[in-house]
Amino acid sequence: MKISMLMEILEATLLTPDSDLECEVHDACGSDMMSDVLAYVKDQGVLLTGLNNPQVVRTADMMDMVCIVFVRGKQPDQTILDLANSRDIAVLSSNMTMFTACGLLYKSGLRGGRL
Amino acid sequence: MEEIKLHYDVPGDDFTRAGEASADLKSRLKKLGIPSAAVRKVSIALYEGEINLAIHAGGGAIDVVIGGESLTMILSDHGPGIKDISLAMSEGFSTAPDEVRSLGFGAGMGLPNMKKYSDDFDIESQVGVGTNVTMKVYFDA
């Protein structure tokens, strides 16, 4: 699924305007616990989270993730966005809850990767 | 490849900076052409280590040796030490305060993740003295 499609499904706003929306994401992970995210290998993944701090970007970077979606309308500050830009990670914000956002992406074919 | 040695100091008073060493190491390894699967293992293991140093030990030091076939990371601190290492190594066990949990860590996955992503893992700790963790990752494993 392309990031542009993900944006459409989640009715999300793009917070990193220079990001490549044609980039493909293959797996998704929804969590507010970063150690849980780090426990499972993802490929070209998207991270959905309600946590709002720089460690979200660092975690996504370590996992080679290409996109972060802040759910529940969370708005990351400029420090977080700068960090994401420097790592070529697209950042989106959606007003949907975690459950709804994950459900809609699953329904559209995105899966959770392997344990 | 000639052996490369790196040293990082992890501050104990600024949690937002935890991860800077692993990010730097990751970018160096990519430039050196180390296989991406190994780079990811190193990055995650070291990142969890950095978080642990910042959360539990009041900071510490990381020494990295990059060889031709493997990479070794030694994390050392003068923190409170770990009383029961086997308990600390079990998934879900955590002594992290609520403040750390609210930042997305402290789920008791740090040490298990470090072991999981290392090919060789060793931990030594003495209460009141500190903790040393050695992790080795082979590039072709």
Side-chain angles (χ1 to χ4, degrees):
Chain A
M1 181 186 295
K2 288 182 175 155
I3 292 177
S4 55
M5 173 67 80
L6 204 127
M7 275 181 71
E8 200 175 302
I9 294 167
L10 300 181
E11 297 167 11
T13 313
L14 179 67
L15 303 179
T16 47
D18 295 335
S19 297
D20 177 12
L21 300 183
E22 295 300 296
C23 181
E24 288 278 346
V25 295
H26 302 305
D27 293 314
C29 177
S31 182
D32 289 353
M33 290 306 291
M34 295 301 106
S35 281
D36 279 346
V37 179
L38 289 164
Y40 307 116
V41 174
K42 302 287 183 301
D43 183 35
Q44 288 277 101
V46 52
L47 171 62
L48 294 99
T49 187
L51 190 70
N52 188 355
N53 68 44
Q55 300 304 341
V56 171
V57 181
R58 294 200 187 280
T59 299
D61 181 31
M62 296 308 154
M63 300 302 286
D64 295 322
M65 287 173 152
V66 295
C67 181
I68 298 168
V69 180
F70 289 93
V71 296
R72 305 195 292 274
K74 296 282 172 73
Q75 295 289 328
D77 65 22
Q78 196 56 45
T79 319
I80 296 175
L81 295 176
D82 289 345
L83 193 60
N85 269 322
S86 72
R87 302 288 190 267
D88 289 328
I89 298 172
V91 178
L92 311 178
S93 177
S94 168
N95 284 329
M96 291 178 186
T97 62
M98 177 74 93
F99 181 81
T100 306
C102 290
L104 288 174
L105 292 181
Y106 191 91
K107 193 179 157 194
S108 304
L110 211 55
R111 291 294 179 263
R114 60 192 187 278
L115 289 184
Chain B
M1 187 174 79
E2 203 171 312
E3 202 171 79
I4 299 170
K5 291 183 178 177
L6 301 166
H7 177 86
Y8 300 97
D9 287 311
V10 179
D13 54 355
D14 188 357
F15 182 74
T16 60
R17 286 184 58 197
E20 286 182 359
S22 9
D24 179 76
L25 182 61
K26 183 184 179 189
S27 112
R28 284 171 189 265
L29 294 179
K30 276 186 166 178
K31 281 178 194 157
L32 287 170
I34 306 296
S36 59
V39 174
R40 189 183 284 180
K41 284 166 69 177
V42 169
S43 307
I44 299 170
L46 188 60
Y47 180 48
E48 288 279 20
E50 272 191 87
I51 297 287
N52 270 355
L53 289 175
I55 292 175
H56 296 291
I62 298 168
D63 286 286
V64 180
V65 181
I66 308 169
E69 295 172 352
S70 68
L71 178 151
T72 304
M73 299 168 271
I74 300 167
L75 285 68
S76 48
D77 69 63
H78 299 291
I82 301 167
K83 193 176 168 188
D84 185 338
I85 289 180
S86 62
L87 184 61
M89 291 301 302
S90 52
E91 284 188 13
F93 176 79
S94 176
T95 57
D98 286 346
E99 181 198 338
V100 169
R101 290 170 200 263
S102 71
L103 293 167
F105 291 89
M109 294 298 290
L111 283 171
N113 274 351
M114 288 162 73
K115 187 176 182 184
K116 177 181 173 181
Y117 289 107
S118 303
D119 295 313
D120 293 331
F121 177 89
D122 183 59
I123 180 166
E124 291 174 359
S125 188
Q126 203 176 334
V127 173
V129 178
T131 302
N132 288 307
V133 175
T134 305
M135 301 183 285
K136 190 167 186 174
V137 172
Y138 293 94
F139 299 147
D140 62 352

